[in-house]
Amino acid sequence: MKKVLSSLKIIIPLGLGIFLIWYMLDSLTDQEKSDLRTSLLNANYFFLILSFVFGLFSHISRALRWKYMFEPFGKKIGFWNSFHAVMAGYFINLLAPRAGEPARAGFLAKNEDISFERSFGTIVAERVIDLIMLGIIFCIALFLHFDKIDEFQNILKQAQNSISPQGTHWFSYVFNAIVILVIAALIYSVFNRKLRQKIRSVLLGMWEGLKTIFTLKKRWAYISHTVFIWLMYLAMFGICYPAMEATSTLPLSAIFGGFVAGAVGIVLVQGGLGVYPVLVAAALTLYLGASPGKFYTLDGYAMGWLIWIPQTVLIIVVGILSLISLQYRKKHVDN
């Protein structure tokens, strides 16, 4: 049963992403497909290269920041072991959601004199910090879009009508089903002792990992890297806007709004496959308007892909190289 559930966790989100790619392309006319292709091919790829570079800077900074987490334990880890473990973990997350974190901890444990539990604990703490930073960016985006909430609600209605024009409103059915499943899961967790203990163990692990931040020797360096990482995330997103004429003059609020929408896509499907461009396009509709009969504009959809592609290529290429490097280092140590 566990294997079936694990497989479903991978297959269902991936299937949703592939379905969205097919649906979005299938809903386009031949002329719209031609326009989309033209937008992608005529984009200024110099800005996409810059996005690639900013993304790489963020990953390097994350690897450097991770090193500080082990200093309270009297451990000093090598930069390349840290960097390769980070990138390999990201790559594995593309294939299987949430599998990258334990894999990353395992890679470091094999190449450094550190236990898996301690390594994983630092990653849990890191995820808590990331959640806080994402929450801050979300609040900024919400503040910048406070006067556009009604417009966004209209976009959601247009999306529902566009996808289910005959009034089936399957969005509502899916939403209600999700709510029911969440309630059922909460009830199950209350009455299932083993699950309660597991949740309690996870929460305690998160707290233990978070506490290590307050005992860091280089606390301000850690905070500086955290701010830098998220600035690079915003930069690698926003620097893509000048790649297309239609998005080149969008304001700062469009960067925050699109960034948050894209982040949701990455959470929903591993790597945001298929979902990321759709949500970015929906967010940019507040600024670009919508094409007739659609809840998005082709320029926004094209921009979603232009942002997604360089970052995904970065993770795939560097992630595979990191896996090879880690395997080589392990054999070298064993010999």
Side-chain angles (χ1 to χ4, degrees), residues 290-306:
S291 300
K294 292 182 171 58
F295 64 92
Y296 64 94
T297 176
L298 282 178
D299 288 326
Y301 188 53
M303 178 50 59
W305 280 110
L306 289 174

Side-chain angles (χ1 to χ4, degrees), residues 41-286:
L41 293 176
N42 291 346
N44 189 334
Y45 281 79
F46 169 74
F47 293 103
L48 304 188
I49 294 172
L50 285 180
S51 177
F52 186 97
V53 172
F54 288 150
L56 184 59
F57 282 166
S58 73
H59 300 322
I60 291 173
S61 183
R62 184 175 291 275
L64 289 170
R65 188 185 66 169
W66 195 21
K67 294 178 57 174
Y68 299 143
M69 297 290 285
F70 296 95
E71 291 183 357
F73 310 130
K75 301 289 185 180
K76 288 188 177 182
I77 65 175
F79 166 75
W80 287 112
N81 282 335
S82 176
F83 178 75
H84 290 317
V86 167
M87 297 309 300
Y90 279 149
F91 175 69
I92 291 173
N93 264 340
L94 288 180
L95 305 176
R98 292 176 296 279
E101 283 74 16
R104 173 179 157 188
F107 289 140
L108 195 69
K110 288 178 181 178
N111 289 280
E112 298 278 358
D113 184 23
I114 296 168
S115 68
F116 171 84
E117 291 76 16
R118 183 162 286 178
S119 178
F120 188 71
T122 61
I123 297 173
V124 171
E126 186 179 283
R127 287 292 172 261
V128 174
I129 297 298
D130 287 340
L131 187 61
I132 293 172
M133 293 300 296
L134 182 58
I136 292 172
I137 292 176
F138 174 79
C139 290
I140 294 173
L142 187 63
F143 174 78
L144 294 174
H145 290 84
F146 195 75
D147 61 336
K148 293 181 179 292
I149 292 177
D150 290 339
E151 291 182 47
F152 188 70
Q153 289 176 338
N154 291 331
I155 291 172
L156 292 178
K157 289 179 182 178
Q158 290 175 17
Q160 180 173 317
N161 293 332
S162 175
I163 295 176
S164 54
Q166 282 74 35
T168 55
H169 302 305
W170 62 272
F171 264 16
S172 300
Y173 298 144
V174 172
F175 178 78
N176 292 333
I178 292 173
V179 171
I180 292 171
L181 288 173
V182 170
I183 293 174
L186 289 173
I187 294 173
Y188 178 75
S189 65
V190 169
F191 291 98
N192 187 288
R193 183 179 177 183
K194 288 185 178 180
L195 186 58
R196 285 203 315 271
Q197 290 176 341
K198 185 176 181 179
I199 293 173
R200 182 173 179 272
S201 176
V202 170
L203 291 175
L204 287 174
M206 290 175 66
W207 173 244
E208 289 298 321
L210 188 60
K211 285 195 300 184
T212 61
I213 297 173
F214 301 102
T215 60
L216 291 178
K217 296 178 181 178
K218 299 178 180 177
R219 189 183 311 167
W220 289 110
Y222 184 92
I223 294 173
S224 297
H225 273 289
T226 299
V227 173
F228 179 79
I229 288 167
W230 284 87
L231 285 176
M232 287 297 98
Y233 284 167
L234 287 168
M236 73 185 189
F237 186 94
I239 198 62
C240 292
Y241 280 15
M244 287 177 53
E245 184 178 353
T247 56
S248 60
T249 58
L250 291 180
L252 182 64
S253 58
I255 295 177
F256 276 90
F259 180 87
V260 171
V264 172
I266 292 175
V267 171
L268 291 176
V269 176
Q270 49 264 53
L273 177 67
V275 181
Y276 189 98
V278 173
L279 294 182
V280 170
L284 293 186
T285 301
L286 292 171

